[in-house]
Amino acid sequence: MTLRQPAGFGAPLDLSLSPYARLRPVAVSSVRLDGAFWGDRCERNRTVSLTGQWEQLDESGVLDNFRRVTGESDAPHRGYVFADTDLYKWIEAAAWVLCQESDPALERLVDQGLTLIERAQQPDGYLHTYYVRDRAQERFTNLRDSHELYSAGHLIQAAVAHRRATGSTRLLDVARRFADLLCQVFGPAESGRRAGIDGHAEVEMALVELYRATGERRYLEQARYFIEARGHGLLTEGIFGREYSQDHLPIRERQAMAGHAVRALYDCCGVADLFLETGDEGLLRTLSSLFDRMVARQTYVTGGLGARHEGEALGKDFELPNARAYTETCAAVGSIMWSHRMLAATGQAKYAELIEKTLYNALLPGWSLDGREYFYVNPLQDDGGHRRRPWYKCACCPPNIARTLASLPGYLYGTAGDDLYVHQYVQGSARAVLSGRPVEVVQRTRYPWEGRVELEVRGEGDFALFLRIPAWCASRPVLTVNGLAVEVPPVPGSYAEVRRTWKSGDRVELAMEMPVRVLESHPQVLENAGRVALARGPLIYCVEGADHSAADLLGLGIDPRRPPQAAWDADAFGGAVVLRGEAELRDPDPSWEGILYRSAAGPSRSPGRLIPLMAIPYFAFANRSAGQMQVWLRRLDA
Amino acid sequence: MTLRQPAGFGAPLDLSLSPYARLRPVAVSSVRLDGAFWGDRCERNRTVSLTGQWEQLDESGVLDNFRRVTGESDAPHRGYVFADTDLYKWIEAAAWVLCQESDPALERLVDQGLTLIERAQQPDGYLHTYYVRDRAQERFTNLRDSHELYSAGHLIQAAVAHRRATGSTRLLDVARRFADLLCQVFGPAESGRRAGIDGHAEVEMALVELYRATGERRYLEQARYFIEARGHGLLTEGIFGREYSQDHLPIRERQAMAGHAVRALYDCCGVADLFLETGDEGLLRTLSSLFDRMVARQTYVTGGLGARHEGEALGKDFELPNARAYTETCAAVGSIMWSHRMLAATGQAKYAELIEKTLYNALLPGWSLDGREYFYVNPLQDDGGHRRRPWYKCACCPPNIARTLASLPGYLYGTAGDDLYVHQYVQGSARAVLSGRPVEVVQRTRYPWEGRVELEVRGEGDFALFLRIPAWCASRPVLTVNGLAVEVPPVPGSYAEVRRTWKSGDRVELAMEMPVRVLESHPQVLENAGRVALARGPLIYCVEGADHSAADLLGLGIDPRRPPQAAWDADAFGGAVVLRGEAELRDPDPSWEGILYRSAAGPSRSPGRLIPLMAIPYFAFANRSAGQMQVWLRRLDA
């Protein structure tokens, strides 16, 4: 077997040899997080979430399902048909952790998982704990719903991660056998193989990564086959229509993201991966226009995606209900993975921008501050009934959060030739070989709470640092090198280039102002008419019942001309910037009591009274006592 | 067998002997519709819809499913497990038609249907075309989903209607055998029978009607058992939770309508029927408060019910999205049936009011103007993609519309002792025995297009006419008897009593003003913030693309202080009152191009230009070329 990288090299997207990558991610193993916002969280992911999730895998039957295949367990299969992937995603998460540090206890659990998986594999390479034994004849008979290739995809991703993290090929060997089986079974009709795609995209991006990890081109070809086969109605139509699985139109003909949000996003990940290897410009054009339209018409202010509970689907243009927002946490993961690939393909800052927004406001809300509980659905308005849970019957989200956090270092930096891109501001450091010499860049920052970032270059050479200037910056930030302002002031929404002959100890400072921003939304978003949201830096804020005695936060109004002020609160959520100001509270209007519709000539409302307002980062909601939560607040100047 | 009514007596709710009915519906057979708005429509229901639906029953496999039971057909069962009820509802509709007039062709079709049903019944009375032959062992094993008792309910309703309409007991004999089986099988544990309820309420109201039709008290007791057994978790929980089938709380403990809208409404019908026979005040109190809360928080301005596609469910308080409104046509039917029972139980005008609103604006939109096509879902905003269809895979709605229209005469009048209530204004006449003498009341009106109603009393006696004064009347209407105004001016939202010694030829005139009304909705309905709807009389209006060249009706704005004016348009939809006026059209704002969120301090919109506005009755939308449709319009004074 050809293995292209040394052990220890790892990134959830390895583009080191991809010919059409403009940027190549700096590997997880080359990035260090140093406490602060993300370092602490990733540590909690390791010590609390991964441990707890293993227990849930055990209790929910996922591990027993594997034991059942070999007869070690007599328990019936438990959970959904895709429950195997909970273990695969967990192993992937653990592998990224092990890529960064030694954790013998975690390694032992991974080994247990690997043993279960190895034993459950069938002689021909097939691996799925549901479609075996008495259900073996049903293998590959219902690709729309069976998630067999989807499961293969997660197995492959876990295997690639494990190989990159540890150097071991144990899981990769398993994954290759299953991948080889898929290559034998599925393919274009003229090849004598069976036509087929999975109802849930996933195997496509995994196969491209398997190609990258092994150099075996047939995995890339197989991914290409699956990608191009989707959209021709190979799947039988279900109650949510062909869109649900993106089988309504071939990728090249699609004009909008549609159907099941996670499926649609995973599909685009595979397509982007295919572009990165093949340079097929038609694919990139389609992806670019799908992305732009999604951001301009289907994306919540949090970065969340998926407006509909039914079919867990993206909505139509401007269909963005708040209380009924679906915004599945897995869709945030899918969005980050897709943006990461688009960023690599184009080098455009807008993709890193959406990653940032999504990380803070769509992924993070899915995870309780103590690391023990998860949201599947992330509404932007709630009456207090929506609470995180330690696990779900459909438990896709918890290990998806875990693997994203564990691989977060791989999303922060990129290289283009001799230049280094800083996509995200996270305290820590990155190592890369630039102009032939090893260089380390150390970041010191209290981001996202403060807008000041200090970068210290350790090493020497002629190269450029590209610093992303977030589009949320209302004014041009100040960028200095060793205390001197750079010539061209940085432009929000782009990368600022600092090219020079670096000496060790050179310091770059980026100072971004972080005023509280008051946002309005496109007039076609009907639920937000006359409403505004509060943001500061990359964070979206919300108001929550725990901070207000008002009975009805829905009617809380703020004046955009007098926004609340940011203040550091060491007691809030282990330290956070909260927003404090004034809001207008309207007591329930008795003239509406028991009435739903009335003449528009009816009594107009009297103004309310001012009360203290407190807004907290949206990601922190529902971590205290249950109560109302609201992102969009009534605007008083409307 | 005891049969309590003579043949030819018929009403979808026969309360002639119900001890707790304050009002008793005047039978279908005693009411005549005389052309005009409803007469013409009911005739179209008979001549076009019922004929077309029979063809659909044949083509969709419903009839073959019955033939399959006896071996007359080898086709596999087609359609959903509840497809039998399409035939039952169709027969019920046909029976109400035959109650009103002779139609030999229709009679022949009914006879064909009856023969199929009779032959499909099992020796022990069981009747369900899916759970027979190879699936006979599955009988009664999955009451949550199987719709077996639900099907029994529709069979019973059809049988009662057929018996009342024709005097024949053919179908009633079949229905009683199945009902007897249910009585044997299901009951409280202490009776040695099996605990069970159907996932979809329906059999409860049917069993009460069977009791009324036969005098057999055990059917009433069986209905009581099913009603009281719901809400104790007898059904296994599905993906939409126990609420879906109202199995989350016993009826007496419920505080809000919840779950699947049609199920919830049908459930309340059965409970109201139980009250009407037993006088259980606790049940009536619960129903009254559920109804009031539903009207005040969960009902669309059209009367439509059901805010959610997922689970076809009622939403939370004030959750009333427009484009994603579900408002299933069957929910309108369920609402009308429930209100009809509440009206009988209480004599309160608000129930007749909701029936009127629902008939015109939630039932009627479900039916194309030519009588050939149907909506299942009735949104209040659409981009033009939502079109009626001749049939559905889940075809509950078309025959439900048909049976409601066919039995419409039974919803119009009621008696209380010697007094006659006029609930709805429909040209035609009603016959009743008042103060011991036969009396006929003839209505002449162009309602809902005009607010003038003339009633002529034919016959003599001492009694009162109670005329409903709709709550939509903004001013007190003028009520005269033989040209002289009554002493007490009528109050909108109540019944006006005209008690006197009547002489044949006495004329009562009710003159209601019908200004165009501009409605706003409760501030907690977020999608309607800053929006108004147009209404006139009982009708809700909408704007449609076919009448406007504007690209975006969503942004169309009107000034509530200068509403459009009503005008009779003989060419519109075979004659209709349309509304004409001015609206502000804003061209797409280029400053929002490609942007979804921005600083609230951004450029404010420039005013648009005035264009001619035309609004049409909401029920008529989507009968011309496909285009945008909008009920709630931007208000310019907000």
Side-chain angles (χ1 to χ4, degrees), chain B residues 367-388:
Chain B
W367 194 46
S368 68
L369 293 174
D370 66 7
R372 297 182 196 283
E373 298 188 323
Y374 311 90
F375 274 148
Y376 189 112
V377 166
N378 297 274
L380 278 73
Q381 172 188 328
D382 190 55
D383 59 10
H386 192 66
R387 305 295 287 182
R388 292 181 191 81

Side-chain angles (χ1 to χ4, degrees), chain A residues 157-237:
Chain A
Q157 286 189 315
V160 169
H162 188 252
R163 154 66 193 160
R164 289 182 185 159
T166 65
S168 158
T169 63
R170 270 182 75 185
L171 195 56
L172 195 65
D173 293 342
V174 173
R176 291 189 65 166
R177 280 195 292 270
F178 197 2
D180 291 341
L181 177 68
L182 298 184
C183 294
Q184 281 166 37
V185 172
F186 297 102
E190 58 273 24
S191 69
R193 288 175 289 166
R194 188 189 308 187
I197 56 170
D198 196 280
H200 196 317
E202 155 67 26
V203 74
E204 298 82 358
M205 67 175 129
L207 283 166
V208 180
E209 276 287 87
L210 188 60
Y211 157 67
R212 293 181 184 131
T214 63
E216 297 272 14
R217 198 160 178 92
R218 69 207 153 96
Y219 298 136
L220 178 65
E221 292 309 319
Q222 193 66 24
R224 187 206 302 266
Y225 165 71
F226 285 135
I227 285 166
E228 299 279 7
R230 191 176 300 276
H232 299 278
L234 278 180
L235 303 172
T236 54
E237 187 168 352

Side-chain angles (χ1 to χ4, degrees), chain A residues 483-543:
Chain A
L484 296 172
V486 297
E487 257 174 57
V488 183
V491 178
S494 71
Y495 284 88
E497 176 180 347
V498 187
R499 184 175 298 282
R500 56 186 271 126
T501 303
W502 298 91
K503 294 192 302 290
S504 204
D506 278 350
R507 277 166 200 273
V508 176
E509 259 189 46
L510 178 65
M512 296 171 277
E513 284 184 32
M514 272 194 181
V516 175
R517 285 168 296 128
V518 183
L519 304 176
E520 62 177 3
S521 50
H522 193 289
Q524 286 198 35
V525 184
L526 290 193
E527 267 209 12
N528 296 345
R531 295 196 162 249
V532 289
L534 296 169
R536 182 175 176 274
L539 299 180
I540 299 298
Y541 279 73
C542 68
V543 295

